[in-house]
Amino acid sequence: MNRMVGLLVLLGVLGGGVHVYKRYDAVKQQEQAAAAARVLPDRSVIDVYGRPGCAYTSRMLTELEQAGVPIRFHNIDYPHTQAAFQERFSGSGLATSRGYALPVIAVAGQELARPQPSSVVYAYRHR
């Protein structure tokens, strides 16, 4: 019986920990989304919109960092960032019938869907 009580207490503590983590993550997402919504176009920084698990996004981030280009990454998996993304790029002509090809880049007044990293570096350096 003592083992059963101990197990129930342990499960309760673990469940509480998961709840606290989810709450913390939700607050973090809202803060990041609010920051993303306040982002004004800045020609000195490249805005990269994508997902951390996307191979194209990862490649873009790696190559831009290696080129020494300042970037600001926006994770569109967060609901509020997704809403800001949709607001910024709806009507831009970047979306296809399947959605947006990630990453979407804002560089030097241009908006590009899944460009080659070298062309983004070129656009940044010749802005």
Side-chain angles (χ1 to χ4, degrees):
M1 189 68 171
N2 275 343
R3 287 185 183 186
M4 179 87 82
V5 171
L7 182 60
L8 289 175
V9 169
L10 179 62
L11 289 174
V13 169
L14 290 175
V18 168
H19 175 74
V20 167
Y21 173 78
K22 285 183 178 182
R23 186 79 173 135
Y24 168 79
D25 192 48
V27 168
K28 183 178 171 184
Q29 287 179 19
Q30 288 176 342
E31 289 172 355
Q32 288 180 343
R38 290 189 303 266
V39 171
L40 299 174
D42 179 357
R43 295 176 75 99
S44 66
V45 175
I46 294 177
D47 285 309
V48 179
Y49 294 84
R51 292 188 167 94
C54 170
Y56 294 107
T57 300
S58 296
R59 178 177 163 234
M60 179 66 70
L61 293 171
T62 299
E63 292 196 28
L64 292 178
E65 286 174 357
Q66 288 174 348
V69 175
I71 58 174
R72 186 170 32 212
F73 178 67
H74 306 275
N75 182 351
I76 65 168
D77 283 336
Y78 295 136
H80 292 86
T81 305
Q82 174 71 21
F85 172 81
Q86 290 294 338
E87 184 177 322
R88 179 171 182 178
F89 295 107
S90 68
S92 66
L94 295 176
T96 66
S97 61
R98 298 182 64 195
Y100 291 90
L102 296 178
V104 173
I105 309 294
V107 56
Q110 300 176 54
E111 297 168 343
L112 310 164
R114 197 178 289 163
Q116 291 296 317
S118 59
S119 63
V120 175
V121 171
Y122 181 85
Y124 175 78
R125 291 191 174 143
H126 294 90
R127 64 191 186 285

